[in-house]
Every structure is written in structure tokens, then in C-alpha cells.
């Protein structure tokens, strides 16, 4: 257990990420790359910026990916520990499984959220309101796919409604944003060693038992990276500076694009901002990368190829004259010369696209 003054967080990182398949068949969602950095690196940097230096990752699925991507996170200025579930315990059981390592008021975060929210302000509200559990609430245009949260005028929570389907059930547009501040002793209410849901079981029971719980509604950038389109959109948001993240892409910023170096850019190759070119990437003659392109480390873009609005993971080979538009390409994919890969296409790692093929979403 950490000392009373060390601020702590638990990150839920054990889901299978079914909506983000096929990308998550090959890599756990919490460490899919965003501008060539693992998603959780952004959360850890945000936590660090708000004084949290001790983080426990509640893991279950593809734990080795998470360890390989983050290690002990010393480079991010936090101490990172892993607690592994033998069987997935859900969002409630996952936090409970990590509860022996935490004390005080701790942040609990879903590992698939990208936000620049002012967590210091969240803590202030938690302390001044006498809240024992504070939930970050986010307004969204269409709340149907999320859990709705109802609060009174003072912000005290009144109830939850999980993924409503009927119009009359949609009584608010604020949703549970997947970031909480919880007084650690309350975690003892979650049963140990069995699957449970923090949203559907733990929070509703707190409210039913009259324990003060408050909502916190900041004006902040927030996105849930659960689907391929949200995953790509989040990177365009980062590229366009729509989120104030304490973490920038690796390398040097030149004319609005980030270039990590160690690769080769042919003299006539064009990098159109905003874009990111990973370490060791090679750009061939007369190719055009961007706007809105992310080229993974060690990828190679052939001569006359065009990559626009597309996210490429590591070591992708793009043949001469190929065109990639608004798509997502997993690691080690080979795209043949003059192939066309269109909007919404998601290519799983290792896929091979023949020369002159056309793939549409
Ligand atoms: P989908 O399958 O696409 O819904 O994604 P998911 O598996 O990530 O589920 P969901 O988005 O509902 O999960 C919210 C957060 O809880 C994510 O950060 C998950 O990694 C995490 N999570 C979900 N299930 C478990 C679990 O059984 N154990 C742990 N430790 N974390 C979990």
C-alpha cells in the first residue's frame, strides 16, 4: 500500500475490445497505437500531470502486449504495477482485484478513454462536496450506446440507466465517461473473485444505500476509443490539436508534422501536415503522405504512393502507386503496387493486399 500522500489510480485494461476487432485480436485495446504511442501512455501522462504517481493496471486479456508496450512506465514518470485476473472479472471485479494495492481516494479509469480533463478540479469537487464517489459525466449527442447518469441540481447522483433502447428512457444526454474518483474503503463492497460490473452493480448500490456520490461535468476533450472509426477520429483530433495532451508524438515537429527520424525521406516525397512519420520509416520518391496520415515505425511507402487520413501501424509496406484513404492498417501488412484501400477499411495485422486490388469499406 502506498503512503497516504501518494495519489493513486487503477486503470481497467482487461477487456477484449470486441468492437475494435480485428485490431484487438492482435493487440490489447489499451495499448493500440495513437500517433505511434500506446493509448495508455496518454492516460499515464495525464495522471502524472495531475500528481498521480502510482498506477495499478487491472489486466486480463493479452497482458503480455500491455507489458511489452509500457513496462514499468518509468519513462512516463509513474510507478506501474500489474494485477492480472485469471478469468476476466469485469469492471467491478477488476477494480476489486487491485484494491489491496490502493488507499485514500483513487482515480479509476476505463483504459479506452482519451481525455485532457482537469483531474485536479475533479479531485477538488470530490473533496469540497463530501462526495465518496465522483463520476466524470460527459454530454454526448446520442447517448443510446452508453450508460446514462441522472443527477440533481447540486450534482448529487440520483440514478443510472444502462444503454437505454426506448426513447422515453432517454431522460438525459450525460453519460458515464468512464473516469471515477472513489474512496478506497468502498471497494470492499465489491465481491472478491467473481465477475461484477462497476457501472451496473457497484454505483447503483451506493446510491441506493444513500452514500453521497456526485457527477463532475467539465468542459474537456473526451473520446471513447471503442470502435475503429472512433480510434481513427481520435488520432485526427490529436493531429489537429483538438485535445490538450501532455504528450506529443516522438521526434521533431517540422511544418506541422512530426517526424521521428532514423528513416529515409526521398527528396521529392511530400509530407502534408498534419501527419506523423514514425521512427525508421522510409518514404519513396514522389509519394504523398498526409494530410491526416500516421505512418508506423519502420513502415515503407513506395514511390508515387499516396496515404491520406490513414493510420498505419508498424512495418507496413505500401507498394508503388498504391492509394490509401481514411483507412486503418495493422502491423506488417503488405499492400501491393497500385492497390487502392478506401475509407472505413480495417486491415488486420499481417494481411496482404494484391497488386491493383481495390478494397472499399
Ligand atoms: P468491447 O468488447 O468492444 O465492449 O470492449 P471492452 O472489452 O474493452 O469492454 P468495455 O469497453 O465495456 O470496457 C470498459 C473498460 O473496462 C475497458 O478499459 C476494458 O479494458 C475494461 N474491462 C472490461 N472488462 C474487463 C475485465 O473483465 N477485467 C478488467 N480488468 N478490465 C475490464
Amino acid at each position: 500500500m502506498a503512503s497516504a500522500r501518494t495519489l493513486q489510480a487503477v486503470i481497467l485494461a482487461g477487456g477484449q475490445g470486441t468492437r475494435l476487432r480485428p485490431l484487438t485480436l492482435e493487440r490489447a485495446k489499451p495499448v493500440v497505437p495513437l500517433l505511434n504511442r500506446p493509448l495508455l501512455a496518454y492516460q499515464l501522462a495525464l495522471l502524472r500531470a495531475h500528481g498521480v504517481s502510482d498506477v495499478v493496471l487491472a489486466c486480463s486479456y493479452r497482458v503480455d502486449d500491455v507489458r511489452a508496450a509500457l513496462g514499468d512506465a518509468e519513462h512516463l514518470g509513474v510507478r506501474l504495477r500489474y494485477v492480472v485476473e485469471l478469468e476476466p472479472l469485469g469492471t467491478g471485479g477488476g477494480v476489486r482485484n487491485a484494491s489491496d494495492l490502493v488507499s485514500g481516494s483513487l482515480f479509476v479509469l476505463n483504459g479506452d478513454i482519451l481525455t485532457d480533463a482537469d483531474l485536479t478540479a475533479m479531485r477538488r469537487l470530490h473533496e469540497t462536496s463530501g462526495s465518496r464517489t465522483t463520476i466524470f459525466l460527459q454530454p454526448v449527442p446520442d447517448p443510446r450506446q452508453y450508460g446514462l447518469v441522472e443527477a440533481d441540481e447540486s450534482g448529487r447522483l440520483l440514478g443510472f440507466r444502462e444503454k437505454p433502447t426506448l426513447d422515453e428512457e432517454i431522460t438525459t444526454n450525460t453519460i458515464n465517461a468512464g473516469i471515477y474518483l472513489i474512496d478506497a474503503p468502498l471497494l470492499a463492497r465489491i465481491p472478491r473473485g467473481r465477475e461484477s460490473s462497476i457501472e451496473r452493480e457497484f454505483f447503483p448500490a451506493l446510491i441506493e444505500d444513500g452514500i453521497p456520490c456526485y457527477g463532475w461535468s467539465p468542459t474537456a476533450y473526451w473520446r471513447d476509443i471503442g470502435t475503429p472509426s472512433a480510434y481513427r477520429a481520435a488520432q485526427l483530433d490529436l493531429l489537429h490539436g483538438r485535445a490538450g495532451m501532455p504528450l506529443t508524438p516522438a521526434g521533431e515537429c517540422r511544418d506541422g508534422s512530426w517526424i521521428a527520424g532514423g528513416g529515409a525521406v526521398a527528396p521529392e516525397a511530400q509530407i502534408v501536415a498534419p501527419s506523423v512519420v514514425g521512427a525508421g520509416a522510409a518514404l519513396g520518391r514522389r509519394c504523398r503522405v498526409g494530410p491526416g496520415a500516421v505512418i508506423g515505425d519502420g513502415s515503407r511507402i513506395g514511390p508515387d504512393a499516396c496515404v491520406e487520413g490513414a493510420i498505419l501501424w508498424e512495418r507496413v509496406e505500401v507498394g508503388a502507386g498504391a492509394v490509401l484513404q481514411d483507412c486503418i492498417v495493422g502491423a506488417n501488412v503488405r499492400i501491393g503496387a497500385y492497390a487502392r484501400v478506401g475509407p472505413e477499411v480495417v486491415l488486420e495485422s499481417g494481411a496482404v493486399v494484391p497488386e491493383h486490388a481495390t478494397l472499399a469499406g
Side-chain angles (χ1 to χ4, degrees):
M1 192 158 309
S3 82
R5 286 147 55 120
T6 305
L7 299 182
Q8 293 185 290
V10 171
I11 301 181
L12 285 159
Q16 299 203 3
T18 48
R19 289 165 300 152
L20 200 51
R21 284 181 185 162
L23 299 171
T24 43
L25 293 174
E26 197 259 339
R27 201 166 304 177
K29 179 166 64 170
V31 291
V32 293
L34 286 186
L35 308 192
N36 295 332
R37 292 195 187 278
L39 165 54
L40 279 188
Y42 293 87
Q43 283 200 355
L44 294 173
L46 181 77
L47 287 165
R48 184 74 199 101
H50 290 282
V52 177
S53 57
D54 188 27
V55 180
V56 182
L57 274 190
C59 301
S60 159
Y61 175 69
R62 298 194 66 99
V63 184
D64 290 346
D65 291 350
V66 185
R67 280 191 208 276
L70 295 170
D72 62 6
E74 207 179 329
H75 58 295
L76 293 164
V78 297
R79 172 191 193 196
L80 190 62
R81 288 177 287 174
Y82 297 75
V83 174
V84 179
E85 295 148 44
L86 297 177
E87 293 292 323
L89 294 172
T91 49
V95 179
R96 179 65 168 119
N97 203 39
S99 62
D100 291 340
L101 298 179
V102 293
S103 61
S105 306
L106 63 133
F107 285 105
V108 174
L109 298 89
N110 281 354
D112 53 358
I113 302 298
L114 185 69
T115 184
D116 60 4
D118 180 355
L119 300 182
T120 303
M122 184 175 184
R123 180 176 291 281
R124 218 165 22 241
L125 173 99
H126 185 81
E127 285 165 1
T128 55
S129 63
S131 178
R132 306 234 19 236
T133 287
T134 303
I135 299 183
F136 176 174
L137 302 181
Q138 177 70 18
V140 292
D142 180 6
R144 268 172 303 197
Q145 54 179 310
Y146 299 96
L148 307 190
V149 187
E150 286 159 338
D152 72 12
E153 280 175 10
S154 73
R156 184 159 174 165
L157 300 185
L158 302 172
F160 293 84
R161 218 181 271 274
E162 263 310 304
K163 300 185 180 161
T165 47
L166 302 172
D167 280 353
E168 59 265 33
E169 289 178 332
I170 303 173
T171 49
T172 168
N173 70 338
T174 51
I175 60 150
N176 169 357
I179 297 186
Y180 324 113
L181 194 49
I182 302 177
D183 287 1
L186 294 176
L187 299 179
R189 297 167 62 103
I190 303 175
R192 251 189 210 281
R194 81 160 169 80
E195 201 273 338
S196 72
S197 161
I198 202 165
E199 308 89 338
R200 285 190 298 278
E201 296 170 56
F202 176 69
F203 296 145
L206 292 181
I207 291 172
E208 207 153 290
D209 293 347
I211 294 172
C213 299
Y214 282 75
W216 177 66
S217 308
T219 302
Y221 175 84
W222 178 89
R223 202 186 265 280
D224 152 17
I225 319 263
T227 62
S229 62
Y231 167 67
R232 196 177 71 83
Q235 296 184 73
L236 294 178
D237 290 342
L238 289 173
L239 283 173
H240 287 281
R242 294 183 196 118
M245 292 297 158
L247 193 62
T248 54
E252 167 191 345
C253 189
R254 270 188 246 153
D255 303 326
S257 291
W258 291 86
I259 299 159
V265 179
E268 309 94 319
Q270 233 188 314
I271 302 172
V272 185
S275 291
V276 170
V277 177
L283 308 187
R285 294 174 58 200
R286 293 177 308 276
C287 78
R288 179 162 65 83
V289 162
V294 179
I295 308 298
D297 293 348
S299 290
R300 306 174 70 81
I301 312 301
D304 301 303
C306 175
V307 179
E308 187 176 330
I311 311 298
L312 277 53
W313 286 15
E314 310 83 27
R315 299 173 302 279
V316 172
E317 302 269 344
V318 177
V323 177
L324 277 63
Q325 176 84 43
D326 299 338
C327 53
I328 304 170
V329 180
N332 302 308
V333 169
R334 282 168 45 211
I335 295 173
Y338 304 101
R340 303 182 82 84
V341 183
E344 314 281 317
V345 172
V346 181
L347 291 173
E348 70 183 300
S349 294
V352 177
V353 177
E355 287 184 9
H356 296 282
T358 297
L359 299 184

